Amino acid sequence: MLLGAAGSSVVVAAEEAVSVQDLQIGDYFTLGEYNSEPIVWRYAADDDNGKLIVSDKILCIKPPGNIYKSTLLENKNFWQDSYIREWLNSTASEGEKDWGVDISYLIKDDIDTDEKGFLHVSNFSLSERSVMKQTSQWTMLPEDKLYLSENGNFNAYNAYKKYVQARPQDGGITIYYDISELPDIYAGAAHITTDTVFLLDEMQVCNMLNNLGDVRAVCANGCMYFDDNYSGKNFSYILRTPTGSTSAHINEDGVYGPRNLLDGIRPAFYLNEENAQILSGSGTAEDPYVMDGKKIEILINGEALDSDYVPVIENGIVLVPIRAVFEKMGAEVVWNDEDQSITVVKDKASAYMMISNGGIMINGEIQDLGYPVTLIDDAAYAPLTAIEKFTDTDVVWNAELMTVEIAV
């Protein structure tokens, strides 16, 4: 049974032909596209955050860090400020965002620095994006950011296992840990980062290796490196973990070590099972499932709400886009970016809500929503109780028909 917000009617949902809950580790599915080709993902592991989903292929090749200026590399291994992280979680249109990566001194043709964000609507529809769960997880800190540690450890993690000092021709070599050794040595200063799409860390790679037997990846169509096309070929891909003055990666042979100057991007996310549905397919590499988000319709006085933002389900709670719903009901909605708050005014009543806060203040009186107001794709979402408490009207969630009915 899917639970709606407090006070809402609930109907048991009909079972799907192929349930997302029946997914097996190793299954393949398509969701969204990149370079105008469907992205094939793979269910790689289960952990505390849920079902870990990894792109089956390397989608593109990019330089590290945040800014390339002449020979200066800034934030080259700090995930929080990495332009790769920003790009993976961005919905910006082409030309709207300059990713600040100038590597024209390295290669003849500059990597596209003003491309659209990875989550742009032309890559992922809003319903497809609702399948990706925003997740908070631990991420290691580089040596110059140890003061940001939130786990009580102030030593930097390092992937270097042993260094044999000598000239290379005399046997000098740097040895890195094997993937199988990482669970025993993966420790260091870390903090929490929150992303929808991210790069893997060492433990996620370990789980993938244990479950799938291989961590290598080939390049998807359109992967260019210098003047060479690496489509269909094994290539290295970067992890989000810093080590020494660079970041860790998995090379084309599936071996763990420090990253190259340019590395592949193999995105990952955690599945929002409540929002996901399987439309077709058998889950094999040859016939992957086709996945999409569930279509939830909002009916206000029987009329369907037409909005770019779709309702979503989180932890059994139906969340609706505040601006779209309340403006359709004749209210004025004001967003305050400074304190991340929303004010709704209708007739002589006013309501005040804040992102990540589970309360609503109506005409000066604070009430409990039962679930926090949430920012999704740059839009504020609230549970159905926000509508019920502010308008004193019935809101009915029909889980079988996937509809929210509001009678004003």
Side-chain angles (χ1 to χ4, degrees):
M1 179 175 289
L2 293 176
L3 299 179
S8 302
S9 299
V10 177
V11 180
V12 177
E15 289 189 1
E16 302 164 358
V18 179
S19 172
V20 170
Q21 282 67 41
D22 293 332
L23 281 173
Q24 300 295 310
I25 288 178
D27 284 350
Y28 297 81
F29 65 85
T30 61
L31 181 78
E33 63 178 42
Y34 185 70
N35 285 337
S36 300
E37 291 200 359
I39 303 175
V40 178
W41 304 86
R42 202 169 184 195
Y43 175 17
D46 283 312
D47 58 35
D48 291 343
N49 286 315
K51 288 180 168 59
L52 176 66
I53 309 299
V54 180
S55 172
D56 185 48
K57 294 182 179 180
I58 293 166
L59 299 185
C60 56
I61 298 172
K62 291 184 178 294
N66 193 32
I67 300 174
Y68 263 81
K69 296 296 182 185
S70 182
T71 58
L72 175 65
L73 289 75
E74 299 181 7
N75 296 321
K76 59 185 178 298
N77 62 353
F78 184 34
W79 172 246
Q80 179 173 292
D81 286 353
S82 168
Y83 87 92
I84 293 174
R85 177 186 182 225
E86 185 178 3
W87 172 73
L88 283 173
N89 290 277
S90 173
T91 60
S93 299
E94 185 174 2
E96 181 181 338
K97 177 71 176 178
D98 180 359
W99 303 108
V101 185
D102 177 14
I103 57 172
S104 56
Y105 70 98
L106 290 175
I107 58 179
K108 296 177 182 178
D109 298 319
D110 223 5
I111 284 182
D112 190 358
T113 64
D114 62 355
E115 67 174 309
K116 61 192 175 188
F118 181 67
L119 293 181
H120 187 268
V121 69
S122 63
N123 288 342
F124 298 90
S125 68
L126 290 169
S127 63
E128 288 174 329
R129 292 213 303 267
S130 72
V131 170
M132 300 174 170
K133 181 169 61 176
Q134 190 176 71
T135 307
S136 297
Q137 52 188 332
W138 289 103
T139 298
M140 291 294 185
L141 288 160
E143 293 173 345
D144 61 339
K145 304 291 183 182
L146 300 180
Y147 61 91
L148 296 175
S149 177
E150 296 174 338
N151 65 346
N153 191 327
F154 290 91
N155 297 309
Y157 167 73
N158 202 318
Y160 298 86
K161 180 178 181 179
K162 182 180 180 182
Y163 176 64
V164 178
Q165 188 171 4
R167 294 182 303 172
Q169 61 267 37
D170 295 330
I173 189 173
T174 301
I175 300 173
Y176 304 93
Y177 289 99
D178 185 78
I179 294 175
S180 63
E181 298 177 285
L182 294 178
D184 297 325
I185 60 89
Y186 189 61
H191 68 157
I192 296 290
T193 54
T194 301
D195 301 299
T196 299
V197 186
F198 50 88
L199 301 180
L200 298 171
D201 70 7
E202 278 70 357
M203 292 302 95
Q204 290 162 336
V205 168
C206 284
N207 290 336
M208 182 167 62
L209 179 62
N210 291 335
N211 291 333
L212 306 182
D214 197 351
V215 295
R216 294 174 298 173
V218 302
C219 288
N221 289 335
C223 277
M224 301 296 295
Y225 182 63
F226 286 73
D227 293 327
D228 297 324
N229 186 343
Y230 275 72
S231 301
K233 301 177 183 178
N234 279 0
F235 201 77
S236 59
Y237 58 91
I238 187 175
L239 307 183
R240 70 176 190 274
T241 304
T243 177
S245 60
T246 183
S247 297
H249 82 163
I250 303 297
N251 74 11
E252 61 272 18
D253 296 319
V255 177
Y256 177 69
R259 73 162 298 152
N260 295 320
L261 184 60
L262 295 178
D263 254 327
I265 303 299
R266 190 181 186 185
F269 67 89
Y270 283 98
L271 186 67
N272 186 337
E273 299 179 53
E274 296 170 309
N275 275 354
Q277 63 176 335
I278 295 171
L279 304 180
S280 62
S282 58
T284 64
E286 297 75 21
D287 182 33
Y289 291 125
V290 176
M291 191 172 291
D292 198 355
K294 294 178 179 177
K295 306 297 192 296
I296 301 176
E297 189 174 42
I298 300 177
L299 302 174
I300 300 178
N301 293 333
E303 181 180 350
L305 175 66
D306 183 15
S307 172
D308 289 338
Y309 293 93
V310 297
V312 298
I313 302 172
E314 285 192 357
N315 300 315
I317 304 296
V318 180
L319 302 177
V320 296
I322 294 174
R323 181 179 296 279
V325 170
F326 280 101
E327 287 186 345
K328 181 66 174 179
M329 296 170 65
E332 178 185 1
V333 179
V334 178
W335 166 257
N336 187 318
D337 193 56
E338 185 175 350
D339 65 357
Q340 300 277 285
S341 69
I342 310 97
T343 301
V344 181
V345 179
K346 187 177 188 300
D347 300 326
K348 296 182 179 180
S350 66
Y352 178 83
M353 293 169 279
M354 295 182 67
I355 299 299
S356 301
N357 192 296
I360 182 172
M361 185 167 64
I362 301 175
N363 295 333
E365 180 184 347
I366 298 177
Q367 300 184 46
D368 182 22
L369 288 176
Y371 197 82
V373 176
T374 305
L375 200 63
I376 302 174
D377 289 334
D378 298 323
Y381 279 67
L384 301 182
T385 44
I387 303 170
E388 294 175 323
K389 291 179 179 296
F390 181 60
T391 61
D392 193 26
T393 188
D394 288 334
V395 179
V396 177
W397 161 236
N398 187 316
E400 183 176 8
L401 300 178
M402 298 298 288
T403 59
V404 175
E405 299 179 43
I406 304 171
V408 182

